Amino acid sequence: MKYIFSPRNRFGTWRKLWIYLAESERELGLEGITEDGLKQMMEHAQIQDHEFEIAAVEEKRRRHDVMAHVHTYGLAAPAAEKIIHWGATSCYVTDNADQIFLRDALDLLLPKLAAVIQRLSHFAQEYRSVPCLGYTHGQAAQLVTVGKRATIWIEDLLDDLHNLEHARERLLGKFRGAKGTTGTQASFLAIFQGDHAKVKKLDELVTKKAGFTAAARSTTQTYSRKIDVDIVHALSSFGCTAERIGGDIRHLAMFKELEEPFEQDQIGSSAMAYKRNPMRSERLCSLGRVLANFSADAEQTYKSQWLERSLDDSAIRRIVLPESFLCADACLILLNNISSGLVVNRAVIRQRIDLELPFMATENIIMAMVNKGHSRQEAHEHIRVLSHQAGAVVKQEGKPNDLIERIRETSFFEPILDRLEVLMDPATFFGRSPEIVDEVLEYDVKPALQKYESAIGRIGDADLSV
C-alpha cells in the first residue's frame, strides 16, 4: 500500500500515462510521434533515483511539479521530448494517476477483507452451538452463541465488502481520460483539426490502456471529487466496523470470555506482569476511529470546489487519499491477525451463564407451572419474591445465585421440580443461533467470497504481521 502511493510509483505512473497518450495519438495518425521516440519513452518508463533530484531542481525553479517531470522525462527520452504531454493539461497525469492508485489500492484491500470474513466464518462455524450471555444495555440478556455473535461482525464486514466493490465498479467507469483544461477537449480537437471522432477515440484508447472500462463523458479539469467522497465513505464505514468489532472483543476480554492472540513471551504491562491487555483490539479501535473521520475531509473538499476547478483540493487529497487507504490496510492486517487466533474461554463463559441463568429460566418455570394447571400470576409472584431474595444474596453478600435452591425448597413449585434440569438447559435459551450461523455462511458469505478464493490463498503471513 505504501508503494502504491509512493513518489516512485506516482511519477512512474505519470510516465505510463504519457506513453498511453503518445501511443494513442500516433495510432490516430498524428505526425511527429516517432517509433524511436516511443521506444525511448518505454525504455525510461520507470523513474530512476538520480532523476528525482533533476525533477526537484526543476520544480524549485518552475514551481510546477508536472512540468518539472515533463522536463526530466524529456532528458531521458530526447527523441520524444517535443511531444511528451501533447495536448494535455496537468490533471491528465495527476488525476488519471490518482484514479489508478485508487483502483489498485481497492484491489489490495478487497482480498484482505474477504480473508477476515473467511476467518471469522470458520470461527463462527466452530462455535455455532456454544452458548454465552447476550448483553443489552451492558447488562446480561437472553443467551446467544459465540458463533452467532461472530455473524453480526461478519454481516457488517460483508456490507463493507459490497460497498468497496461498488465504489470500485463506479470508479472503473468514470476515468478522467483525455479531457483538456476545462473538460471540453478543445486542445485535442485542435490537434486533430476538428475531427470529433478521433478526439472521442483518443479518450477511449487512453482509458482502455489504463485498464478502465469507460471514461466519464463530462468532467471539469479534474475528475469529480464526488468519486473521492464515495470511496472514502466506503473506507470510513469500514473504519466504523473495525472499531465496533474491536470494542466488542475488548468488552469480552474484560469479562475474560474471549481473548485476542497473545504470544508466549508477550508482555501486557511493564508493572503488572499478570496482565493480558487486548492491545491489538485497542489499536484497531484507534485506527478505525481515525479512518471513520476521513469522510468529512472528502466531503468538505468536494463541496468546496469552484466551477471548473480550484487547487484548494490538492494538498488535502495528498493527505486524505493515501492515509485513508493506509489506515484501512492497517485495520485489515490487525483484523486478520486477531481473527486467526481468538481464544474462547468456555469455563468462564459457563460460569457467567450459571450466575445469570437462574433468573433467565424463570419464564420457563412460570410457563411450566401454567401447563400444570396453576395460575400464571401466582407463579409470577412467587418467582418475583424469590428472585429478589436471590439477587440480594448475589449483590450484597457476594455469594452464588441460589434462586434454584430457593425454588426447590418452595412447595408451590413441587409439580415441576423433576423438570428443573431441562428447564435450566442453556441450549433451550439461544433459539435458532446455530441455524442462523449456518444460513449466514451458506447464503451470505459463500457467494460473496467465491470470487476471492484464489486471492485469499495468496495472502501470506508477512501481509498480516502486526
Side-chain angles (χ1 to χ4, degrees):
M1 188 64 77
K2 286 193 291 185
Y3 174 76
I4 289 174
F5 292 100
S6 68
R8 187 176 300 278
N9 189 48
R10 178 174 298 279
F11 302 136
T13 303
W14 287 7
R15 292 189 176 189
K16 289 178 184 177
L17 285 161
W18 280 319
I19 292 171
Y20 301 155
L21 181 62
E23 283 180 334
S24 301
E25 289 173 336
R26 189 169 191 262
E27 289 170 23
L28 292 169
L30 282 188
E31 298 178 359
I33 303 175
T34 65
E35 186 175 338
D36 188 44
L38 278 175
K39 183 173 180 291
Q40 289 184 10
M41 290 178 74
M42 292 177 186
E43 288 173 346
H44 297 278
Q46 289 297 325
I47 187 170
Q48 301 303 306
D49 290 348
H50 72 277
E51 292 180 294
F52 283 98
E53 181 60 29
I54 296 172
V57 171
E58 186 68 10
E59 182 176 353
K60 187 174 181 180
R61 177 187 173 209
R62 301 295 187 180
R63 306 296 295 176
H64 199 288
D65 56 352
V66 173
M67 288 306 296
H69 281 272
V70 169
H71 168 77
T72 305
Y73 199 15
L75 294 177
E81 186 267 336
K82 292 181 179 180
I83 56 88
I84 293 172
H85 202 63
W86 193 4
T89 188
S90 296
C91 286
Y92 169 75
V93 287
T94 58
D95 270 42
N96 284 329
D98 281 346
Q99 289 186 290
I100 290 171
F101 303 152
L102 294 176
R103 178 200 64 196
D104 293 349
L106 286 168
D107 287 346
L108 191 62
L109 292 183
L110 285 166
K112 289 186 179 182
L113 178 52
V116 174
I117 295 169
Q118 185 185 74
R119 283 177 166 82
L120 286 175
S121 297
H122 293 328
F123 177 84
Q125 181 63 42
E126 181 178 356
Y127 295 99
R128 61 188 290 278
S129 300
V130 177
C132 63
L133 289 177
Y135 295 95
T136 60
H137 308 277
Q139 307 298 310
Q142 189 174 38
L143 298 187
V144 296
T145 67
V146 175
K148 165 63 172 63
R149 177 176 285 135
T151 62
I152 301 301
W153 305 337
I154 290 169
E155 289 283 8
D156 289 347
L157 290 168
L158 283 170
D159 284 342
D160 293 317
L161 187 73
H162 297 323
N163 289 342
L164 291 171
E165 287 175 336
H166 177 72
R168 182 186 185 278
E169 182 180 0
R170 181 169 181 269
L171 172 68
L172 289 181
K174 289 279 189 177
F175 195 55
R176 181 199 177 273
K179 294 297 193 296
T181 56
T182 56
T184 67
Q185 299 178 303
S187 58
F188 295 112
L189 196 61
I191 290 173
F192 286 104
Q193 299 179 355
D195 191 328
H196 289 262
K198 285 190 175 181
V199 173
K200 287 180 65 177
K201 188 63 176 178
L202 175 70
D203 209 5
E204 293 173 8
L205 288 172
V206 168
T207 299
K208 184 177 180 180
K209 290 175 187 290
F212 285 71
T213 56
R217 288 189 176 86
S218 181
T219 71
T220 61
Q221 188 177 102
T222 71
Y223 71 80
S224 174
R225 300 310 183 220
K226 190 77 170 176
I227 292 174
D228 292 347
V229 171
D230 290 346
I231 290 175
V232 177
H233 272 174
L235 294 173
S236 293
S237 181
F238 165 65
C240 295
T241 305
E243 184 172 4
R244 163 65 197 275
I245 294 173
D248 281 355
I249 294 172
R250 290 165 62 199
H251 277 107
L252 294 171
M254 182 172 65
F255 300 148
K256 294 182 172 57
E257 292 188 23
L258 185 71
E259 294 176 322
E260 65 180 33
F262 197 90
E263 275 77 28
Q264 182 177 352
D265 295 326
Q266 184 175 331
I267 295 174
S269 169
S270 62
M272 296 167 280
Y274 59 88
K275 295 194 75 178
R276 292 172 63 104
N277 298 335
M279 57 88 174
R280 297 174 200 184
S281 298
E282 289 173 318
R283 192 189 317 160
L284 178 64
C285 288
S286 184
L287 290 171
R289 197 172 308 143
V290 171
L291 181 54
N293 287 324
F294 279 125
S295 62
D297 293 330
E299 293 162 4
Q300 295 289 335
T301 300
Y302 161 68
K303 69 187 185 69
S304 65
Q305 284 295 281
W306 293 3
L307 305 173
E308 276 63 54
R309 102 133 318 166
S310 53
L311 199 59
D312 59 306
D313 67 337
S314 180
I316 191 169
R317 290 178 67 253
R318 293 183 190 214
I319 296 170
V320 170
L321 296 183
E323 289 196 1
S324 59
F325 274 98
L326 286 165
C327 200
D329 196 34
C331 287
L332 284 170
I333 291 170
L334 282 165
L335 276 168
N336 269 293
N337 182 274
I338 293 168
S339 61
S340 66
L342 286 170
V343 178
V344 177
N345 295 322
R346 294 185 186 228
V348 174
I349 290 174
R350 181 63 209 219
Q351 184 182 56
R352 292 179 64 80
I353 290 175
D354 291 344
L355 187 64
E356 302 289 345
L357 193 59
F359 294 131
M360 296 179 187
T362 55
E363 183 69 13
N364 283 359
I365 293 171
I366 291 172
M367 293 301 100
M369 288 296 295
V370 173
N371 287 337
K372 291 291 185 177
H374 290 266
S375 164
R376 181 206 176 273
Q377 280 61 250
E378 189 176 357
H380 184 280
E381 178 60 19
H382 277 284
I383 289 292
R384 184 189 70 81
V385 172
L386 295 177
S387 294
H388 283 232
Q389 292 171 353
V393 168
V394 173
K395 297 175 184 177
Q396 298 171 19
E397 300 179 29
K399 294 180 180 179
N401 190 330
D402 63 356
L403 176 58
I404 298 305
E405 285 71 22
R406 291 175 184 273
I407 290 173
R408 290 184 190 280
E409 295 169 2
T410 302
S411 59
F412 175 80
F413 293 103
E414 187 173 345
I416 53 90
L417 291 183
D418 61 337
R419 298 194 63 239
L420 269 182
E421 293 302 321
V422 175
L423 296 175
M424 289 282 293
D425 183 0
T428 65
F429 290 89
F430 56 59
R432 297 188 64 252
S433 288
E435 289 74 21
I436 290 171
V437 171
D438 295 341
E439 290 162 9
V440 168
L441 300 189
E442 179 66 24
Y443 300 113
D444 296 339
V445 173
K446 188 176 179 179
L449 297 195
Q450 195 167 16
K451 70 178 80 169
Y452 296 104
E453 287 181 3
S454 60
I456 292 173
R458 291 194 298 271
I459 298 175
D461 293 338
D463 297 311
L464 307 178
S465 60
V466 296

